[in-house]
Amino acid sequence: MRLSEFELIRKYFNTANLAFEKNEVLLGIGDDAALLNLTKEQELAISTDVLVESVHFPAGAEPAKIASRALAVNLSDLAAMGAKPLCFTLGLVLADANESWINSFSRGLAKTARQFNIALVGGDVSKGPTTIAIQVQGLTRPGKALRRDGARLGDQVYVTGDLGDGAIALASLGIPTHLGDTFLFNENQPSSACSQYLEKAYYEPEPRIEFARLCAEFINSAIDVSDGLLGDLGHICKSSGMGARINIEDIPFSDSARCCVTSENLLRAALYGGDDYELCVTVAEDKREQFLLKARESRTKITCIGEIVEGNTISFLNTAGAEIPLEQSAYEHF
Ligand code: ADP
Ligand code: MG
């Protein structure tokens, strides 16, 4: 029987002989980043993400864009922990050493590194199918990191930005999505204004570092939405021993996404699509006002889409309050 991505990790990597306890490891496999005990004042958050040509970006894509996206998706995991970016390493596998390609890649990487004040401190270069493996490190204050397991009964569920753009953009860039053949555009192809917007959303996801750091003390749990809302909110629910109720009418979509696909496919892109790199956070009722104030200060669009409830399932309700049936599970690589 084929193993799912998460079964594979659990069975072969999150094992007693690999992921064993160390005094310094405060949080191991299972969250957006691991947490290590550094000093009395600081913890270290570590996360890694791999991008493969033709899977995560089209062959022939502009190297500067690939580079800044590769760093941004890693930074998104630091944002999900409420961590402040510190440094990163770069594992780069290239089919050949084309200098103009590498020059553009380096410029794109530098732009994002400077923007988020994260310094390159090492890496490795090798020959093979084009692949980018980045590991990021960030700092948090002891006990203050955001985690997936902190959702409490009655918390409101918020997301930053818009959902669904990532999967719709991937399809418009010509990369097959796992949403299948029925995931079609209204007019075969989106208009050029919509494609431009989606392409920017895809290559320049905004890691929500500032939002997370400003709002952290009012947030109970957090995750970055990289594999679709169903799967990622599912991780929060599972780790927290809770369920969730989401009002589908409240899920935020960009105008470009709305004009490209049917409302049914919009929802599929948000729930099962992935590649959005927005944050999903849960906030207790009595912290709501302070949370909203800080979110505004960070100039980040946020939307309340539902609440945390008892149980272990996520239900999606339409405007009439009826539960809509789910058609497939979250994105997995296998
Ligand atoms: P994310 O979407 O936040 O990058 P993933 O869904 O990829 O996280 O991974 C889930 C958890 O499993 C994370 O804590 C990640 O560090 C861990 N993980 C993923 N792949 C491996 C691996 N090959 N070995 C050990 N841990 C892994
Ligand atoms: Mg993540």
Side-chain angles (χ1 to χ4, degrees), residues 31-33 47 49 73 76-78 80 148 223-227 232 277:
D31 215 301
D32 290 289
S47 180
D49 259 317
V73 304
S76 179
D77 279 319
L78 288 185
R148 298 176 179 183
I223 191 168
D224 77 324
V225 184
S226 53
D227 296 333
D232 289 322
Y277 301 102

Side-chain angles (χ1 to χ4, degrees), residues 116-176:
F116 291 95
N117 197 19
I118 186 162
L120 180 62
V121 293
D124 194 23
V125 177
S126 183
K127 192 177 164 118
T130 304
T131 303
I132 302 145
I134 288 179
Q135 188 201 60
V136 284
Q137 311 208 348
L139 297 173
T140 59
R141 281 182 293 131
K144 301 289 182 196
L146 299 176
R147 299 164 55 138
R148 298 176 179 183
D149 61 7
R152 299 286 172 265
L153 183 65
D155 277 7
Q156 285 174 318
V157 179
Y158 286 86
V159 288
T160 60
D162 295 313
L163 298 186
D165 284 347
I168 298 171
L170 203 61
S172 87
L173 288 167
I175 296 229

Side-chain angles (χ1 to χ4, degrees), residues 93 112 123 210 268:
V93 182
T112 304
E210 184 65 7
R268 294 175 69 208

Side-chain angles (χ1 to χ4, degrees), residues 63-64 66-67 70 90 92 100-110 132:
I66 302 169
L90 169 68
L92 189 58
S100 83
W101 193 98
I102 298 168
N103 184 26
S104 164
F105 185 88
S106 157
R107 276 189 291 107
L109 200 62
I132 302 145

Side-chain angles (χ1 to χ4, degrees), residues 3-11 148 227 232 235 330-332 334:
L3 284 179
S4 77
E5 181 185 345
F6 297 112
E7 285 165 349
L8 181 155
I9 295 167
R10 188 174 47 77
K11 190 166 173 194
R148 298 176 179 183
D227 296 333
D232 289 322
H235 291 314
Y331 178 56
E332 297 206 28
F334 298 104

Side-chain angles (χ1 to χ4, degrees), residues 131-268:
T131 303
I132 302 145
I134 288 179
Q135 188 201 60
V136 284
Q137 311 208 348
L139 297 173
T140 59
R141 281 182 293 131
K144 301 289 182 196
L146 299 176
R147 299 164 55 138
R148 298 176 179 183
D149 61 7
R152 299 286 172 265
L153 183 65
D155 277 7
Q156 285 174 318
V157 179
Y158 286 86
V159 288
T160 60
D162 295 313
L163 298 186
D165 284 347
I168 298 171
L170 203 61
S172 87
L173 288 167
I175 296 229
T177 76
H178 55 280
L179 294 171
D181 298 342
T182 53
F183 191 71
L184 293 174
F185 291 105
N186 287 338
E187 318 247 332
N188 293 328
Q189 273 300 310
S191 72
S192 76
C194 288
S195 317
Q196 263 174 30
Y197 179 92
L198 291 169
E199 193 179 318
K200 189 162 157 40
Y202 186 78
Y203 283 115
E204 297 169 41
E206 175 77 30
R208 303 297 186 179
I209 297 281
E210 184 65 7
F211 161 82
R213 282 175 35 77
L214 277 175
C215 298
E217 60 180 307
F218 310 115
I219 291 174
N220 273 350
S221 67
I223 191 168
D224 77 324
V225 184
S226 53
D227 296 333
L229 183 66
L230 175 67
D232 289 322
L233 178 58
H235 291 314
I236 284 189
C237 288
K238 192 167 181 209
S239 316
S240 304
M242 286 285 146
R245 203 159 44 211
I246 301 299
N247 304 310
I248 57 169
E249 286 299 317
D250 294 333
I251 297 176
F253 295 107
S254 68
D255 291 341
S256 296
R258 281 182 194 282
C259 81
C260 285
V261 298
T262 61
S263 56
E264 191 189 319
N265 275 333
L266 266 183
L267 192 61
R268 294 175 69 208

